[in-house]
Amino acid sequence: MNVLIIETKNGILHRVHVNDSDLDEFKDDLTYYERDCAEVKCAKTKGTFVFKRSEISAYSYGKVEEESQ
């Protein structure tokens, strides 16, 4: 599981938990210039977030570590 942090140009941070394939799809959406939007699916809530590419100022991601019991 990964956490994807997306910052929009108006300074809002969005944190989304994603699996590897959904993270790859999001990065592909940002890479292909014919696409106006980038879409990401949250693994926890099963919701989908759609961002206009022009509104994303930065993004970062990293692995979420499992909590030990």
Side-chain angles (χ1 to χ4, degrees):
M1 177 84 59
N2 302 288
V3 63
L4 171 64
I5 301 169
I6 302 166
E7 183 176 358
T8 57
K9 288 186 178 177
N10 61 0
I12 297 174
L13 292 176
H14 301 272
R15 286 178 173 76
V16 184
H17 287 87
V18 294
N19 59 37
D20 290 338
S21 64
D22 289 330
L23 178 60
D24 290 340
E25 286 181 30
F26 173 78
K27 291 189 293 185
D28 286 347
D29 284 349
L30 294 180
T31 302
Y32 296 113
Y33 292 108
E34 69 271 4
R35 297 182 184 168
D36 293 330
C37 296
E39 183 178 298
V40 65
K41 296 173 190 146
C42 181
K44 281 190 169 186
T45 65
K46 306 298 183 215
T48 300
F49 296 91
V50 179
F51 298 93
K52 288 181 99 174
R53 287 181 59 228
S54 61
E55 294 299 316
I56 297 173
S57 62
Y59 73 95
S60 61
Y61 55 91
K63 290 285 185 192
V64 176
E65 298 296 324
E66 300 270 340
E67 293 182 18
S68 59
Q69 296 182 9

